[in-house]
Amino acid sequence: MSTVSELPSPLMLLPRAQAGDEQAMNRLLTGITPYVARICRSITHDDGADATQEALLAIYRGLGSLREPAAFYGWVRSVTVREAVRTAKRYGEERSCSELESRQEANPLDAVHISDVLERLSQAHRQVLTLRAYGLNEEEMAEVLALPVGTVRSRLFRARRRFQEAWLPSAA
């Protein structure tokens, strides 16, 4: 019986999975599922499970196209965000992208306040702010959202302004 610490890392499984080893592929997908699910839930809320399945399927299908193993997690993030946004659009999710991963918040209540402020923004503004929080640049966001780069820049500018306007009263 193996323990979690004995399981190979996804990067060690990657070459075997790309070569067609089904066991390695299963272990690789199982290993990244929590990461993929966390991203999907933050973008789609109630449809997180469906988005996770779609993302894992896209990762499975596209794994052979990944040429640089060091880019694995960035590639997985990009595929996952794209599939989560597609799922949110497909299901007409109105509350899309309202959670933001907190990154070592100084005050745990800040995450609650951030979520509250995001909930008050439009879906379009929540989407661009969440995608930016996941590290996507404007060109990547435009591709994921199927919008012109100028539209993404405009939304991002307005979203930041609306967020700041909503945040300042709650910071007092």
Side-chain angles (χ1 to χ4, degrees):
M1 180 178 289
S2 64
T3 64
V4 172
S5 62
E6 295 172 5
L7 294 175
S9 76
L11 292 180
M12 297 204 40
L13 293 168
L14 185 57
R16 292 181 21 219
Q18 287 181 310
D21 182 336
E22 288 182 30
Q23 184 179 16
M25 179 65 82
N26 286 337
R27 292 172 83 184
L28 177 73
L29 292 174
T30 300
I32 64 170
T33 295
Y35 175 66
V36 169
R38 187 173 61 248
I39 294 170
C40 288
R41 273 192 314 272
S42 72
I43 294 172
T44 63
H45 288 287
D46 295 336
D47 298 317
D50 289 339
T52 299
Q53 288 246 308
E54 293 295 329
L56 289 171
L57 185 58
I59 291 164
Y60 171 79
R61 288 180 178 154
L63 196 58
S65 69
L66 180 65
R67 298 288 172 235
E68 184 58 48
F72 177 69
Y73 281 102
W75 177 79
V76 165
R77 184 195 70 211
S78 176
V79 169
T80 300
V81 168
R82 183 185 68 235
E83 293 303 320
V85 169
R86 283 182 184 166
T87 300
K89 284 181 178 179
R90 185 170 50 247
Y91 289 111
E93 181 70 40
E94 291 181 10
R95 299 178 307 145
S96 174
C97 297
S98 69
E99 253 180 64
L100 184 62
E101 276 190 336
S102 64
R103 297 193 177 159
Q104 300 178 346
E105 296 290 337
N107 180 351
L109 288 177
D110 282 349
V112 173
H113 296 303
I114 290 170
S115 292
D116 180 54
V117 170
L118 284 171
E119 284 295 326
R120 291 185 267 153
L121 298 179
S122 71
Q123 176 183 359
H125 289 168
R126 286 191 306 263
Q127 281 181 332
V128 294
L129 289 175
T130 301
L131 294 176
R132 175 64 93 195
Y134 278 112
L136 273 68
N137 65 34
E138 290 147 353
E139 290 78 19
E140 292 168 327
M141 287 190 277
E143 183 181 330
V144 166
L145 297 170
L147 295 169
V149 174
T151 302
V152 169
R153 287 183 179 138
S154 172
R155 282 188 187 174
L156 192 56
F157 174 80
R158 287 186 178 96
R160 286 175 172 155
R161 190 170 52 196
R162 298 282 187 277
F163 184 91
Q164 189 175 24
E165 289 168 357
W167 177 261
L168 291 177
S170 67

